[in-house]
Amino acid sequence: MLNEKFVQPMLTEGSLKGKVILITGGGTGLGKSMGKYFAQLGADLIIASRKLDVLENTADEIEKETGSKVLPVQCDVTNYDQVENLLKQSFEKFGKVNSLVNNAAGNFISPTERLSHRAFDIIVNIVLKGTYYSTLAFGKYWIKERQSASVLNIVTTYAWTGSAYVVPSAVAKAGVLALTRSLAVEWAKYGIRFNAIAPGLFPTKGAWERLLPGNISEKFNPVKKVPVGRTGEHQELANLAAYLVSDFSSFINGEVVTIDGGEWLKGAGQFNMLDSIPNELWDEIEKAVRNVKGS
Ligand code: HXC
Ligand code: NAP
């Protein structure tokens, strides 16, 4: 049920002109979609992840399509030296970085008792350590150089609910959310804003192959959990991200914005399962309830 309005760009042309935005994990999936839209709005980009060939292809595609400059930098965010090299290359090329989008992540479904400690480490290292390494490196630089900036962290709705079968990711995303809210207060005095986005279901190869492998989505159709009855369009997420890195959102700090069609709340509300009661049954139910007398 694709409605054209879901894929409409939201901000006016040039809204991010003059900005330089770094996106970790910017070569694929949601990182690529956000980057493309930022570039369409006039921003120059740095995209960073482990696979340089993937980054170079994406950089090429975005540059040709938008005319903005895109610097691809190989960087494993779990390695602080590589993050410092990313910082050096970014400032050498552009002289500034206005926003950091911590989007890189790793995840897969598994019963927790099947995980080795190394499997747990790898996810927490990418998601939590990767986010605080980038934040610390860029934050120290911005503070020293007296440059204002914004950080946008991509979390998940289970950052606050927790979730079975993706426990390392849940633990790490909860840490990222705590980092967002903590530094939003501590570093506001330096002109550095922090916000987060908690996306619901947005089809990407990286997430779908690891979280809904094989025919699992036929057995457990995840869309059934979404009140609005669909997955998100990448443009919808890109619209929100562009707003949060733009100056239009200068008074928004320490916020986590959920974009999930109501999915997590549907799982939370105690009587939400009554959704499955057909309309014609409600007359009977109402009668039964009205007939209750006394305590
Ligand atoms: C159990 C597993 C496993 C699995 C790997 N391991 N896959 N254990 N079940 N399915 C174990 C390995 O045996 C090893 O432990 C340890 O994890 C490290 O594995 P490697 O393959 O060496 O690591 P690496 O090659 O770096 O791969 C990292 C990765 C991979 C995270 C496992 O999936 C990756 O690169 N992902 C990046 C992209 C990604 O995940 N995108 C999805 C984000 S989606 P031992 O003990 O054997 O050494 C997302 C959405 C959230 O976050 C919400 C959606 C609604
Ligand atoms: P994706 O395409 O797999 O993106 C993950 C990116 O992280 C990849 O580009 C990967 O690139 C990079 N990455 C992984 N390990 C890295 C490391 N050690 N160093 C640097 N980069 C690394 O998946 P996605 O769905 O777009 O996810 C993007 C973000 O959205 C993630 O934070 C995810 O948790 C979040 N999210 C997604 C959904 C969804 O429905 N898709 C829902 C909720 C939240 P390399 O392999 O080249 O390193």
Side-chain angles (χ1 to χ4, degrees):
M1 201 214 23
L2 176 63
N3 183 323
E4 280 305 310
K5 69 177 180 239
F6 303 147
V7 293
Q8 292 287 315
M10 182 177 81
L11 295 183
T12 48
E13 216 173 284
S15 291
L16 297 179
K17 191 131 201 74
K19 293 215 180 280
V20 177
I21 302 174
L22 162 59
I23 307 169
T24 65
T28 65
L30 298 179
K32 178 177 174 180
S33 298
M34 287 188 276
K36 192 174 276 191
Y37 187 45
F38 297 166
Q40 282 166 3
L41 292 170
D44 290 324
L45 305 179
I46 303 128
I47 54 175
S49 77
R50 296 165 303 178
K51 300 190 191 96
L52 187 58
D53 55 333
V54 173
L55 294 170
E56 284 172 344
N57 284 337
T58 297
D60 206 40
E61 184 185 320
I62 297 179
E63 282 194 339
K64 283 198 180 111
E65 204 177 300
T66 66
S68 291
K69 292 193 205 84
V70 185
L71 175 69
V73 181
Q74 185 166 35
C75 173
D76 180 338
V77 292
T78 69
N79 179 316
Y80 197 77
D81 290 341
Q82 291 188 28
V83 172
E84 286 206 310
N85 174 56
L86 170 64
L87 177 119
K88 185 166 166 281
Q89 288 203 44
S90 303
F91 283 91
E92 266 170 22
K93 169 85 176 174
F94 295 112
K96 63 173 184 177
V97 173
N98 300 97
S99 291
L100 161 66
V101 182
N102 284 307
N103 165 79
N107 201 0
F108 53 78
I109 49 169
S110 175
T112 307
E113 68 276 17
R114 292 170 64 103
L115 297 175
S116 69
H117 67 278
R118 282 179 297 272
F120 214 111
D121 282 346
I122 187 102
I123 303 301
V124 174
N125 285 349
I126 301 170
V127 176
L128 179 55
K129 196 187 262 189
T131 300
Y132 69 69
Y133 274 5
S134 308
T135 303
L136 196 61
F138 282 79
K140 281 170 185 267
Y141 190 90
W142 287 322
I143 291 166
K144 183 162 85 47
E145 298 297 318
R146 296 174 186 273
Q147 294 178 5
S148 61
S150 73
V151 176
L152 178 61
N153 292 328
I154 309 301
V155 296
T156 57
T157 55
Y158 58 62
W160 57 90
T161 63
S163 176
Y165 302 103
V166 284
V167 171
S169 171
V171 167
K173 293 288 192 183
V176 173
L177 185 54
L179 181 80
T180 309
R181 289 175 169 152
S182 305
L183 287 180
V185 174
E186 189 179 332
W187 285 1
K189 60 179 175 284
Y190 301 120
I192 306 173
R193 271 191 313 131
F194 283 78
N195 288 298
I197 293 179
L201 295 168
F202 284 82
T204 65
K205 190 170 182 297
W208 253 231
E209 285 179 352
R210 293 175 175 92
L211 302 172
L212 298 165
N215 63 0
I216 202 169
S217 59
E218 288 159 27
K219 290 205 168 124
F220 307 98
N221 180 2
V223 174
K224 283 197 181 142
K225 290 172 41 223
V226 187
V228 303
R230 64 177 178 90
T231 55
E233 293 297 327
H234 284 208
Q235 184 64 47
E236 295 178 289
L237 185 110
N239 284 340
L240 175 59
Y243 169 65
L244 289 174
V245 296
S246 78
D247 297 332
F248 297 119
S249 63
S250 297
F251 203 50
I252 300 183
N253 186 31
E255 191 52 77
V256 52
V257 184
T258 301
I259 177 165
D260 74 342
E263 182 194 6
W264 87 268
L265 279 169
K266 179 165 178 165
Q270 205 160 25
F271 287 90
N272 289 352
M273 77 287 187
L274 299 188
D275 240 6
S276 60
I277 293 180
N279 265 344
E280 51 277 18
L281 256 188
W282 275 108
D283 283 344
E284 219 172 287
I285 294 170
E286 183 177 335
K287 208 155 58 177
V289 176
R290 284 180 184 274
N291 278 340
V292 177
K293 301 279 178 260
S295 53

